[in-house]
Amino acid sequence: MDLFTSATGNEYDEILSLRRELEEANRLYYIANAPTLSDREFDEKMHRLIFLENLHPEWADSNSPTQHVGSDLGKKNFEQVNHKYPMLSLGNTYSEAEIRDWVRKLPENVEIVCELKYDGLSISLWYEHGVLTKALTRGDGLKGDNVIRNILTIPSVPRRIEGEQWPDFVELRGEVLLPWENFERLNRQREADEEPLFANPRNAASGTLKLQDPNEVARRGLTCYLYYMLGDNLPGTTHSARLEEARKAGFPVSDAIRVCHSVEDVMSFIHYWDTERKLLPVATDGIVLKVNDLTTQQQLGYTAKTPRWAIAYKFPAEKQLTLLRKITYQVGRTGVVTPVANLEPVQLSGTVVQRATLHNEDFVRQLGIREGDRVWVEKGGEIIPKITGKAEDSPTDASPVPYSFISVCPECGTPLVRVPGEAAWRCPNETGCPPQIQGKMIHFVSRKAMNIDGLGDETIALLYEQGLLHDIADIYSLKLADIAQQERLGDKSAANILAGIEASKKVPWHRVLFALGIRMVGETTARKIAKRFLSIDTLQWATIEQLTSIEDVGPQIAENIVNYFLDERNLSILVRLREAGVQMESDQPDETAASDLLAGKTVVISGVFSRHSRDEYKAIIEQNGGKNSGSVSRKTSFILAGENMGPEKRKKAEDFGVRLVTEDEFLEMINPS
Ligand code: IVH
């Protein structure tokens, strides 16, 4: 359906569902840094919603996502500050014709400044009396998070501005970015650390800017370009003159700026950068057009969300038509079966694409694609190629047979199940399906679980194929010769692997529980469960009620745990792990046992902790005879200091010479061994 044809269906329902969808997409984009819609999909849905709302003013709603910008405000980890001037977004289009139209409607002979549209996140820098005092994110457009400590890690951002021409208050706006090179380095590091990868530099920059540790921010290497100046009595009467002043004052202003006098000038700028931008060190996703003269800007004014004096042209994602040769199915480590498009190889943004995920059954059905179709492959800012549609005259258009997903697991032949409410088909044969068995082993040896050095994915696959590993317990029966005789593995790596296996017997109970790979039992949840159930023997008999009374454990997780212990095969694995010497119980005494070890002590808690919550620490202090206090004074005995302790408390602690005690030191203190 064309975007702007008015559907005959229920437009009110469509408006409501678009609003819901766009709100959720905003949340995922700005808060979770894990977008699910591509920019293009988002923009198209937004344009459709704007169209429908214009068609039906009677259904207007001031809470609609068309009426406000998405919010990136975090969970109050930063000081929130009201913007002096609201931070708006820009109207955008993918159509050159609309750009021509926009230019045509401007007053005659106005100059238009063309700039690159940097694809990072916007930042507002406040210079008060010449000194950089605040750096605010866009937030909800009206107030933002003050991330100045992180911005100060960017060397090109001036700490102060000097000269008579600057008024007491100057605001500069720009974009914070993570250059391609640093983005790739960061993702390589995250891969090694088994952390989820960032989908693109924008998400990586956004995640980085919201970190609490400026040292880590500095290591990642953000950069910044400034493109807008605000304030009273600023020098210059045009936008370009102001940017020039900013550049002279040492601000990082891009060179890729052109003052255009005609729509043809604008178009040539757009076409030039559409290819040239690929050589830039940072991500760009379009061109911004701005009316140069500031008085004309004022006359044109603003809508609720965007200035009328500026617009963005967005570059189309690169796309190609190619043949969908075959749909194959991949079984993941958790048993999820994913359809994969096997394509006739095609060149796209410098790489050859021959496979692309089709996500799940619904995705394939929505696209209406079948083997033998010619399909569109796109590569946008998301980096990973995707299939976005099929050619108009596809051979399967006339086919009456609907697409159907496979019904049995391609790896083990077990009938697949589709969990209600989930999009995925899953192979339920957790303990007998090869990729799932290997997946469990890979998880078991991973760094945050048993941390068995040297036993990587490939070695596991090799040993599995040779019949030396059938399940995680087999790892403890491996012999030096078994490993050493493998291709690419000599005596030295074999000895190394065995040493790693031996060392893993010391891994504490909560990590062993995580390593077992019970569905949905992550690192933190395992820690909490292990604290409540101090051994596998007590956990085995835990009821759903007991389990759900633990923080973070919902009914689904509880059920997964109970089911885990109902499976004979798991029980036999557990017996063998215990026999091998793996820790199946906590060797830590109950940390919260009462004592008078803190009698007469006044303790201040500050920061974030990993082993107990703040409230738990308060209780532990009292149980051990101590007193809690909210503020640091001369009477404070010590500060129980977690991560990211507040700067004020830190300063007072220094002033009064109060000792900082880490979480581990504290637990040691009340549990002397
Ligand atoms: S001007 C009131 N110029 O794009 C106008 N924005 O989609 C303020 N952006 O929020 C924005 N490059 O984060 C402007 N050269 C540029 C830009 C730019 C990137 C971002 C900015 C803005 C978003 C709108």
Side-chain angles (χ1 to χ4, degrees):
M1 185 182 61
D2 177 357
L3 200 60
F4 297 115
T5 46
S6 167
T8 45
N10 188 339
E11 287 173 343
Y12 184 64
D13 285 348
E14 190 183 353
I15 288 181
L16 292 187
S17 103
L18 281 169
R19 283 178 185 159
R20 253 196 315 272
E21 233 181 307
L22 289 166
E23 282 303 346
E24 177 61 6
N26 263 333
R27 195 187 65 74
L28 289 165
Y29 185 89
Y30 286 107
I31 314 253
N33 292 319
T36 44
L37 290 182
S38 72
D39 286 5
R40 173 111 197 185
E41 287 160 339
F42 181 89
D43 291 337
E44 279 174 357
K45 285 182 197 289
M46 182 63 90
H47 287 177
R48 171 84 185 147
L49 180 56
I50 292 171
F51 169 76
L52 289 174
E53 287 183 350
N54 285 339
L55 203 64
H56 296 286
E58 69 278 19
W59 294 331
D61 179 350
S62 60
N63 287 324
S64 166
T66 57
Q67 302 303 307
H68 61 87
V69 302
S71 170
D72 67 20
L73 289 174
K75 287 200 212 119
K76 303 231 168 94
N77 289 327
F78 295 96
E79 173 198 18
Q80 287 188 355
V81 179
N82 288 331
H83 288 297
K84 284 247 158 68
Y85 307 92
M87 265 178 114
L88 302 175
S89 91
L90 288 172
N92 70 49
T93 174
Y94 289 85
S95 141
E96 291 190 10
E98 279 182 30
I99 290 293
R100 285 177 185 276
D101 226 39
W102 184 82
V103 174
R104 200 173 309 124
K105 287 183 185 149
L106 292 174
E108 238 172 292
N109 294 329
V110 290
E111 288 180 342
I112 297 165
V113 181
C114 285
E115 299 169 9
L116 288 171
K117 184 170 181 333
Y118 291 101
D119 193 14
L121 47 148
S122 32
I123 194 77
S124 153
L125 306 177
W126 289 18
Y127 288 82
E128 292 175 288
H129 302 283
V131 180
L132 174 61
T133 54
K134 287 190 175 23
L136 308 182
T137 65
R138 179 153 79 172
D140 60 5
L142 298 175
K143 57 182 182 312
D145 282 334
N146 183 8
V147 292
I148 176 112
R149 295 203 312 147
N150 291 343
I151 289 299
L152 288 173
T153 67
I154 305 176
S156 62
V157 171
R159 277 29 179 182
R160 50 179 69 246
I161 41 173
E162 270 148 34
E164 292 291 300
Q165 73 272 41
W166 301 113
D168 289 349
F169 178 83
V170 183
E171 177 174 345
L172 277 117
R173 296 219 180 139
E175 203 80 354
V176 174
L177 302 132
L178 193 67
W180 287 109
E181 203 182 326
N182 300 354
F183 161 71
E184 276 148 24
R185 189 187 57 207
L186 174 62
N187 262 354
R188 279 199 300 275
Q189 181 63 46
R190 288 175 76 87
E191 201 166 4
D193 293 346
E194 293 156 21
E195 284 169 25
L197 303 189
F198 286 112
N200 55 46
R202 202 212 73 89
N203 295 325
S206 172
T208 304
L209 203 56
K210 293 287 171 104
L211 289 176
Q212 295 291 315
D213 174 8
N215 292 322
E216 175 58 19
V217 178
R219 273 193 289 279
R220 294 192 184 178
L222 292 171
T223 188
C224 176
Y225 288 96
L226 299 173
Y227 46 64
Y228 190 35
M229 204 195 296
L230 290 137
D232 296 331
N233 306 318
L234 286 170
T237 59
T238 61
H239 173 68
S240 57
R242 280 194 179 168
L243 286 189
E244 207 38 56
E245 281 296 327
R247 189 201 312 278
K248 276 196 268 166
F251 286 102
V253 175
S254 166
D255 291 326
I257 295 178
R258 190 196 293 172
V259 181
C260 298
H261 295 92
S262 71
V263 75
E264 295 319 317
D265 275 3
V266 171
M267 288 303 156
S268 87
F269 188 87
I270 288 181
H271 295 148
Y272 176 79
W273 283 108
D274 193 3
T275 48
E276 214 54 26
R277 70 192 181 103
K278 289 166 196 153
L279 305 173
L280 294 172
V282 293
T284 52
D285 61 346
I287 300 291
V288 181
L289 284 69
K290 299 174 185 172
V291 167
N292 198 15
D293 182 63
L294 299 175
T295 317
T296 318
Q297 280 191 6
Q298 251 178 6
Q299 283 159 0
L300 289 166
Y302 297 84
T303 70
K305 228 175 100 171
T306 60
R308 289 200 189 86
W309 48 264
I311 192 169
Y313 168 78
K314 291 237 210 155
F315 295 122
E318 265 198 82
K319 61 178 193 175
Q320 291 282 352
L321 268 180
T322 190
L323 175 70
L324 172 58
R325 284 178 171 161
K326 202 166 174 44
I327 298 179
T328 53
Y329 296 85
Q330 209 170 27
V331 186
R333 292 174 188 174
T334 56
V336 169
V337 182
T338 309
V340 178
N342 292 260
L343 306 163
E344 179 112 342
V346 60
Q347 186 89 23
L348 204 62
S349 311
T351 53
V352 177
V353 179
Q354 45 191 339
R355 281 160 67 82
T357 176
L358 292 170
H359 304 289
N360 52 51
E361 180 180 16
D362 297 346
F363 185 82
V364 183
R365 279 182 195 270
Q366 272 156 21
L367 291 179
I369 55 174
R370 231 76 67 72
E371 289 175 354
D373 278 341
R374 291 178 68 73
V375 295
W376 284 108
V377 195
E378 244 181 53
K379 215 165 152 190
E382 282 70 37
I383 300 178
I384 299 157
K386 29 168 138 184
I387 310 277
T388 54
K390 61 174 177 176
E392 302 225 326
D393 49 353
S394 282
T396 58
D397 278 353
S399 160
V401 196
Y403 165 73
S404 65
F405 207 80
I406 48 169
S407 57
V408 297
C409 175
E411 296 279 347
C412 69
T414 305
L416 301 179
V417 292
R418 186 169 171 173
V419 183
E422 270 184 32
W425 285 94
R426 209 183 259 284
C427 167
N429 185 14
E430 259 185 75
T431 39
C433 178
Q436 297 191 63
I437 298 172
Q438 285 182 49
K440 272 195 186 290
M441 291 196 255
I442 291 168
H443 169 74
F444 185 80
V445 303
S446 65
R447 204 171 55 90
K448 290 178 180 160
M450 303 304 279
N451 190 22
I452 301 181
D453 238 8
L455 205 49
D457 300 12
E458 281 178 33
T459 313
I460 286 184
L462 214 63
L463 296 171
Y464 175 77
E465 279 156 24
Q466 315 244 328
L468 289 163
L469 289 181
H470 307 91
D471 58 40
I472 51 176
D474 281 347
I475 292 173
Y476 293 91
S477 341
L478 285 174
K479 306 269 174 309
L480 190 79
D482 293 341
I483 311 174
Q485 75 189 15
Q486 302 296 326
E487 236 178 286
R488 287 177 293 123
L489 290 174
D491 281 349
K492 206 163 151 223
S493 26
N496 187 17
I497 291 174
L498 283 187
I501 294 175
E502 197 49 39
S504 76
K505 296 179 185 168
K506 299 226 160 53
V507 164
W509 154 232
H510 66 88
R511 269 173 53 193
V512 175
L513 176 57
F514 168 60
L516 293 179
I518 302 174
R519 196 170 286 158
M520 292 166 71
V521 177
E523 222 186 325
T524 320
T525 313
R527 199 186 278 278
K528 288 182 179 157
I529 296 170
K531 225 184 88 205
R532 172 73 179 279
F533 293 95
L534 296 175
S535 72
I536 194 98
D537 300 321
T538 51
L539 181 60
Q540 181 176 350
W541 303 109
T543 62
I544 300 270
E545 292 72 43
Q546 286 172 326
L547 288 165
T548 48
S549 72
I550 302 173
E551 195 188 350
D552 282 4
V553 179
Q556 186 61 57
I557 299 186
E559 198 180 313
N560 293 348
I561 295 171
V562 170
N563 284 340
Y564 178 87
F565 288 105
L566 289 178
D567 189 326
E568 294 282 336
R569 285 169 295 191
N570 289 331
L571 297 181
S572 103
I573 288 174
L574 292 175
V575 169
R576 285 154 58 218
L577 285 177
R578 187 200 295 268
E579 275 167 14
V582 171
Q583 303 287 319
M584 294 299 204
E585 55 189 36
S586 173
D587 59 359
Q588 305 221 327
D590 186 356
E591 286 163 343
T592 60
S595 79
D596 57 2
L597 285 162
L598 298 177
K601 299 240 183 320
T602 304
V603 186
V604 173
I605 301 182
S606 178
V608 183
F609 301 93
S610 53
R611 301 190 45 187
H612 294 276
S613 68
R614 279 172 85 97
D615 285 340
E616 282 169 353
Y617 275 121
K618 279 192 183 158
I620 294 173
I621 289 168
E622 281 172 12
Q623 278 164 31
N624 287 279
K627 243 176 65 186
N628 286 292
S629 160
S631 60
V632 182
S633 73
R634 255 171 245 289
K635 290 196 203 122
T636 309
S637 312
F638 63 86
I639 297 178
L640 171 52
E643 295 273 303
N644 305 316
M645 168 175 174
E648 265 170 44
K649 282 197 178 132
R650 188 176 289 275
K651 170 138 196 324
K652 274 201 182 158
E654 267 170 35
D655 290 350
F656 296 135
V658 176
R659 189 159 73 100
L660 303 188
V661 172
T662 67
E663 196 172 3
D664 287 340
E665 284 167 350
F666 175 77
L667 290 173
E668 181 68 18
M669 194 188 253
I670 58 162
N671 269 310
S673 35

